[in-house]
Amino acid sequence: MTTRTDRIPPAPRPRLSLGLVGTVRSRLGAAPRDDLADPASLETWLAAQGLATGPAPDEVDVREFRSLREAAYRLLEAVTGGGPPRPADLKLVNRHATAPAPAVELADTPGAGLVLRTGRPTPEQALGVIARDLADLLTGARRDRLRQCGAEVCGTFFLDGSRAGTRRWCSSGTCGNRVRVAQHRAG
Ligand SMILES: [Zn+2]
């Protein structure tokens, strides 16, 4: 455990496990793009999630994060109507979910009073944080709001926060627009 600390961000973040699944772009298209292609891109992604690790991720970690991502994708498919979950995927998620949580420290700071600081997680602990988020997502109160994006090549999953529960695209600014343009051209 390193001694470097970062403030816990006050605002709720998007679900980490859905973010991980979304690191494959155009998953169902002819040329999917992987945002976690190497240790440097994994490091960048982790930092953007508030999960910068110590030590920095290596090639083995890249494989571990990608394995968890693919298990998450298949489990999301399963719970949204794609059949029973694969035991191997459950085993993988459960293995990561047992990783200890990143250390936290209550500190008295001049001006701000008591703050909660979190130590940098190891890559294994970061996998644990994401695996536990996934387990919670797949079994939580909003699991019936999980959707696969309706855009042809996208394939990612999102939580439908619309009142009517009729959202079809992961991001109406990108996938939704693309679909509307394609429909307009076809019509
Ligand atoms: Zn999409």
Side-chain angles (χ1 to χ4, degrees):
M1 180 61 54
T2 62
T3 55
R4 295 189 56 176
T5 56
D6 295 296
R7 288 285 296 276
I8 291 178
R13 290 173 175 275
R15 299 301 296 244
L16 285 165
S17 50
L18 290 175
L20 180 66
V21 169
T23 59
V24 178
R25 316 231 173 217
S26 302
R27 176 183 279 274
L28 305 179
R33 206 180 78 231
D34 193 339
D35 282 353
L36 307 182
D38 50 47
S41 48
L42 175 57
E43 189 176 6
T44 301
W45 182 80
L46 284 167
Q49 314 311 309
L51 277 178
T53 62
D58 61 16
E59 288 286 354
V60 174
D61 298 319
V62 170
R63 284 200 292 279
E64 293 275 22
F65 276 87
R66 290 164 93 173
S67 296
L68 178 61
R69 178 182 68 194
E70 297 315 301
Y73 179 80
R74 288 187 295 266
L75 288 169
L76 283 160
E77 275 189 319
V79 299
T80 55
R86 285 170 35 156
D89 291 335
L90 293 174
K91 203 172 156 188
L92 183 89
V93 172
N94 287 335
R95 174 165 69 81
H96 287 305
T98 60
V104 292
E105 178 195 43
L106 193 58
D108 191 10
T109 57
L114 287 180
V115 296
L116 195 58
R117 290 177 171 152
T118 178
R120 284 196 178 219
T122 62
E124 291 74 22
Q125 288 176 323
L127 283 160
V129 170
I130 298 171
R132 288 189 290 272
D133 177 73
L134 177 68
D136 178 66
L137 182 72
L138 295 173
T139 58
R142 297 178 72 204
R143 64 180 168 178
D144 61 337
R145 286 299 189 110
L146 285 165
R147 310 263 188 272
Q148 188 166 24
C149 180
E152 205 174 320
V153 300
C154 179
T156 204
F157 285 86
F158 62 93
L159 266 175
D160 181 357
S162 70
R163 192 179 295 223
T166 52
R167 198 175 131 195
R168 291 170 58 196
W169 300 297
C170 65
S171 154
S172 55
T174 52
C175 282
N177 274 347
R178 222 177 286 148
V179 170
R180 277 188 288 273
V181 167
Q183 283 169 346
H184 182 75
R185 285 203 191 113

